Amino acid sequence: MKPTQPSRIQLSTPRLLVAVVAVATMFIGVFMLALGAGVMGKGLALDASAHVPELGVLLLLLGAGALVWTLRRRSVRARTGMLWETRLSRALTAWNERDDALSVRQRMMVLGLVSVLGLFFELVLIRLLGSEIKVFAFLKNVVLIGAFLGLGMGFFLARRRVGLIPLFLPGAAVLIATVALGGASGLLTKTVLPGGDQLVLLGLSVKTFQAVPVLLQMLTWIPYYIITLLYFIGVVLVFVPLGQYTGKCMRAFAPIPAYSLNLAGSLVGTLLFALVSFMWLPPLLWFAIVALLALPVVRTSPKWLWRANLVGALLLVAMQGLPGATVWSPYNKLVVSPLIGQDPSGQPFQWGYQLGVGEYYYQDIANLSDEFFAMHPDLPPELRYSEYEVPYAFIRPANVLILGAGTGNDVAAARRRGAQQVDAVDIDPGIIEFGKRLHPEQPYASAQVTPHANDARAFLKNANTRYDLVLFGLLDSQQVLSAFGSVRLDNFVYTVEGMRDAFARVKPNGLLVVTFELFEPWIGERIAGVLEQATGQKPVVLHAHHGTVFLVRNGAPISQAEVDNALAKLGGVVKSVAPGSTGVALTTDDWPYLYLRERTLPFAYWTMLPLLALVSFGVARRVLGGGWKIQWRFFFLGAAFMLMEVRIIAQVALLFGSTWVVNAAAISAVLLMALLANMLIARLNITSIRPWAVLLLVTLAASSLIPSAVFLSLGQVTGGMLAALLLALPIFFAGMVFSGSLKRVQNIETAMASNLLGAILGGFVEYLSLVLGIGSLAWVAFLLYALALAAPVQSTESETAAS
């Protein structure tokens, strides 16, 4: 007889994942303790309000507790976890069986409801996580990719006996709770980018100092990878129940009517989220809507499971109702706090207010009037002769255009220096409103000032006035605009074409001025190069207190004598600087990435994206097992369609402005084109998709070959209409190809799952635009559509085994 072997601890894949995360959490805790104790913090600037040692202890305890839980023996697991697992499985199966009894009318209603919920919650997470977790302001479409992966896996599970939708609200509540706790601790907003010198983003990059060894620098990168992976997996798991239930509901109908209902619900979800954004509604109401959409779907759950959903709904809403001075404008999470100054004697005084975007400083709402400095004569002169004063040492303009006017510091400076007409443009009405209410000089109250809540490029295209001074304020954004791409609010402003538009609005002998806070010298070199390319003149570059000022005159270049005279007027605290000449790439409308140094994939991207791809594959294999099959035509159609959406949104933003109105209209138009194509397929007796496929490829190639400048030269109305038509045609014909192919399938959930998984590929391929430019996406989409048309449609498939 063999000797008895000691029992070994066996870890399932989920428990192994928890163990890995626990060890990583403990490691971060020890690292933060060391930083807080000053053991290895010589070169790292720590925020005293972040409570680094306390947070380190908390992470160490949490990690140790989780590790102990994963290492319990099987007998202990059997008495606890497995009992709950069995009970939960039975409850979910019972709910699914009750749900099977729904009538056709009821099934139609819940399909529409879950389709609205899926798109609305997707947009909610994209906006919330992009604001609260700063890695998702950098990895802009990772939340979207996670949502698509979860929905796709859910579609593959649509025939399982265990219904997962009752887990959606509790799972969403847990996910959002971690966001709230992580944001309160500062852990999610103090992330450092690996290789941060390649790309500059506020709050994500820090200067590394010589005193910090390379290995310690690498340790600071660990949270970037852990936070991204954990929340990516969390998003995936939250969307699996939505995908499964959507797939189950669609199975009850023929493919074309089912897809029409799904598209209509998605369109309603998009418009609903656009509405709450336009109305400045806070996250409390976002999640109240999520709860109201989700609760009717799970109304037939067993009592204890129904209570868990009620608790989850209440937690979702309650966590957003915590007191705070936050305003959610259509674009930003805005926070205002008092701006306290200190005179040389040490006496504090309120100077104005400080505006933050999320957890990060954005701008001061400061009193910079002559009267204020007369009352405080001992303040440093660089505060009085700041970047706001620099343009007026060269010109006394009668009319001024300010792009990126913000809370009004530039507007106040223009009024102080005698401007009779000021057009103040800022894309965020929330920031303008704070300026109206709080600015000590009340610049927006003047009858000579006209505020415009609009995109800078859109305003320049529509403006007929020419100005003595066209001034770009400290215009910058770290927020996410598009749910479908890496479009930044300021992407199409600091380009050669954007500066040409601005220079065209400058009167003879007037000035074009760009003010920018430089985080890296190469950004200053880029802006100077863009201005020279756009205007034909090398700009004068001056450095003031907070910003660097670039000046170009529409006429004779600014002479050195004029520069010397201006510097004398500015108290001797403003300095002339010379931009470098390293040959940094210039930004254009095709490659508008101001904060990316080169046409390359940054280190933080090319190390994270393959990791996310591997995790996506691993999670899919673990959840789905080996019985799932991909419909390759729908897979490639999903990848190509994703790229077309990204390109269309970028193109429409360029033509009409990067506003939420334009963004919502573009996404809605895409869904409407797909819905129209689906309805035509349902009515027409189409036996072959080949004509539509040819039209798709022809119109896609045509829309790619015609430069944007052609449409821009025709004016915003005429050019915009022609561009919209040319962009809409490929979407419509792609919809005809998709719906014509969908009409032939018997297993709609597999086709939809394959389409969503293909969209994930499109999301990863989108990052090629960082290297090749936005225009390249159309040609990649062309190739993917060709692959899709070459792949056969499987009209019958083996059913996924029920389990």
Side-chain angles (χ1 to χ4, degrees), residues 45-82:
L46 297 178
D47 185 353
S49 64
H51 304 291
V52 173
E54 296 92 331
L55 188 57
V57 171
L58 177 62
L59 292 176
L60 190 59
L61 292 175
L62 288 174
L67 187 62
V68 169
W69 179 79
T70 60
L71 297 178
R72 291 180 305 170
R73 295 189 179 276
R74 190 173 184 83
S75 59
V76 178
R77 289 209 311 269
R79 290 195 301 268
T80 54
M82 294 190 68

Side-chain angles (χ1 to χ4, degrees), residues 37-111:
V39 174
M40 51 187 193
K42 293 181 180 180
L44 296 176
L46 297 178
D47 185 353
S49 64
H51 304 291
V52 173
E54 296 92 331
L55 188 57
V57 171
L58 177 62
L59 292 176
L60 190 59
L61 292 175
L62 288 174
L67 187 62
V68 169
W69 179 79
T70 60
L71 297 178
R72 291 180 305 170
R73 295 189 179 276
R74 190 173 184 83
S75 59
V76 178
R77 289 209 311 269
R79 290 195 301 268
T80 54
M82 294 190 68
L83 291 176
W84 274 103
E85 184 179 343
T86 302
R87 185 183 180 191
L88 180 61
S89 179
R90 289 174 179 171
L92 294 174
T93 302
W95 172 85
N96 204 29
E97 290 172 351
R98 294 178 189 176
D99 185 76
D100 288 339
L102 293 182
S103 66
V104 174
R105 181 183 179 86
Q106 291 173 319
R107 183 66 65 195
M108 184 181 300
M109 292 177 62
V110 293
L111 173 55

Side-chain angles (χ1 to χ4, degrees), residues 729-744:
L729 286 175
I731 288 288
F732 173 73
F733 294 135
M736 296 294 289
V737 170
F738 180 88
S739 297
S741 302
L742 191 67
K743 194 173 184 179
R744 297 168 52 192

